[in-house]
Amino acid sequence: PMEPGHVNRVALTFDDGPGPETADLVRFLVDEQAAATFFVLGQNCELRPEVVTMMRDAPGIELATHSYSHPDLHHLDDEEIRDELERSNCLVTEPGGQTPPLFRPPYGHRDRRVDGIARELGQSVALWTLNSMDFKDDHHTTEHVLQNVRPGDVILFHDTHHSTVTATRELVPALRSRGFELVTMSELLGPCVPGRVYRGRNGARVRLSRWLKLQVLRVRHRARMMRARPPR
């Protein structure tokens, strides 16, 4: 339930693009005046530079970066991490333009080294609070998001999935009908400090509830694993 007087903002964020259907997705969002943030991959920016230009000029669309080749940054040395960030930034930033203020590490894997390099490059580390689970199908994605979304959420999607594009067309009107305002991640968070890690703007009750649910799932998973072990 919505809290009286609470600003019911959520941020739709899309990783790994631009993909084959990203341009169509952006056009839909612009037509609907629905803001969103795209964390693009450098490799895919090289494949579709015209889509990057379109996104850069699209009202309500925020461009951010997601590395060049989507490695697990935990397995790279400092220079390799810096190269991943700088190469993707160069492909998104116009000559003489400002580096995108937000960077999302692949898989959400980060540590002090990653945060420090992001700080050097003037970028904040942007994670999420709600995984849309869009690796399944569009119906499951829509249902999962609508059942779990709360004010202040940063929702993780991937615009490389056809099902995600389909689900987004359903979710935008559905979220609005429930009183949510769709904004970019920067609009949701407000001013960010380079090198600092941000997720969303959920209240303490939501964070605690999700943490407890996660612990229950972990306990159930361990119990299933124990039952599946062959007897000695």
Side-chain angles (χ1 to χ4, degrees), residues 6-211:
H6 192 88
V7 178
N8 296 312
R9 290 180 152 195
V10 294
L12 308 182
T13 68
F14 298 88
D15 286 10
D16 294 354
E21 297 181 72
T22 299
D24 290 338
L25 175 59
V26 170
R27 280 190 283 267
F28 166 75
L29 293 169
V30 170
D31 288 345
E32 293 293 316
Q33 297 183 342
T37 300
F38 286 79
F39 291 89
V40 295
L41 276 181
Q43 286 182 335
N44 285 337
C45 291
E46 288 180 332
L47 289 174
R48 300 179 179 89
E50 72 287 350
V51 179
V52 177
T53 301
M54 171 204 181
M55 297 166 76
R56 191 186 293 131
D57 296 336
I61 300 300
E62 177 179 37
L63 269 177
T65 56
H66 191 44
S67 80
Y68 176 78
S69 63
H70 207 282
D72 185 337
L73 298 180
H74 284 162
H75 299 155
L76 305 187
D77 63 32
D78 288 7
E79 285 308 308
E80 290 170 329
I81 294 170
R82 186 174 288 103
D83 183 64
E84 281 285 334
L85 272 65
E86 287 181 335
R87 291 178 74 185
S88 59
N89 288 342
C90 288
L91 290 162
V92 172
T93 308
E94 290 183 289
Q98 183 181 1
T99 298
L102 299 180
F103 161 71
R104 176 172 286 166
Y107 315 105
H109 290 180
R110 45 154 293 278
D111 53 25
R112 290 182 179 179
R113 295 182 308 132
V114 174
D115 300 349
I117 292 168
R119 182 178 63 249
E120 292 172 18
L121 299 177
Q123 295 182 287
S124 303
V125 179
L127 301 179
W128 60 88
T129 58
L130 178 60
N131 189 332
S132 70
M133 309 297 283
D134 61 351
F135 56 87
K136 296 188 177 180
D137 58 69
D138 52 293
H139 175 72
H140 181 276
T141 299
T142 302
E143 187 177 76
H144 177 75
V145 170
L146 293 178
Q147 285 179 354
N148 292 282
V149 64
R150 297 292 183 272
D153 266 328
V154 172
I155 311 174
L156 170 66
F157 298 94
H158 300 82
D159 51 308
T160 49
H161 300 330
H162 171 73
S163 60
T164 299
V165 177
T166 303
T168 304
R169 293 179 182 273
E170 300 172 357
L171 278 169
V172 166
L175 288 168
R176 282 180 165 160
S177 71
R178 297 182 182 209
F180 288 103
E181 179 187 358
L182 308 180
V183 297
T184 65
M185 190 165 179
S186 288
E187 288 172 329
L188 180 73
L189 296 174
C192 294
V193 178
R196 190 170 292 177
V197 180
Y198 295 88
R199 290 172 175 82
R201 294 183 64 86
N202 299 107
R205 285 187 302 173
V206 172
R207 293 195 299 271
L208 176 60
S209 173
R210 287 181 176 166
W211 182 84

